[in-house]
Amino acid sequence: MFTDAQNSNIKKLVPDETWDTKDIMTVAEVAKLLRVHRSTVTRYAMSGEIVSYKIGSRRLFRAADVWAFFDNKRVCTRRSDGEMESCYSI
């Protein structure tokens, strides 16, 4: 039997009831969404830039993690005098 401490750890591993299978994406789906090659997505995942989960040989992603990665990618331009002109997400 599990102790209370072990039970609390197990509960953390069980997905929230609000999860849906649509929240889980494959490498190909992430690549299509971000408009990059599958190998680019894999490279981002292996470097830890995008949170991913390995199940056997499959790499899966939570949609929220993909959008968090996307939101953190910003491009900023500078004017010729070095001052920040504008920032935008790519």
Side-chain angles (χ1 to χ4, degrees):
M1 296 307 290
F2 292 111
T3 65
D4 288 336
Q6 290 170 323
N7 280 336
S8 64
N9 289 337
I10 290 172
K11 289 177 186 172
K12 292 177 186 175
L13 298 175
V14 176
D16 186 302
E17 291 83 24
T18 60
W19 276 33
D20 189 355
T21 55
K22 291 180 272 187
D23 293 334
I24 299 172
M25 302 174 73
T26 65
V27 171
E29 291 169 332
V30 173
K32 184 176 180 180
L33 175 70
L34 297 178
R35 298 180 183 165
V36 297
H37 196 271
R38 291 184 317 273
S39 63
T40 302
V41 173
T42 301
R43 188 174 67 246
Y44 286 151
M46 291 177 72
S47 72
E49 289 185 70
I50 300 179
V51 177
S52 67
Y53 303 85
K54 287 280 290 197
I55 300 177
S57 62
R58 295 188 61 175
R59 187 174 296 274
L60 300 173
F61 303 83
R62 286 184 31 206
D65 294 330
V66 174
W67 284 113
F69 165 80
F70 182 79
D71 289 340
N72 287 326
K73 294 293 181 181
R74 295 179 58 84
V75 174
C76 297
T77 58
R78 293 189 181 272
R79 297 189 309 232
S80 59
D81 62 0
E83 291 297 316
M84 192 69 65
E85 185 173 2
S86 64
C87 291
Y88 56 91
S89 295
I90 58 171

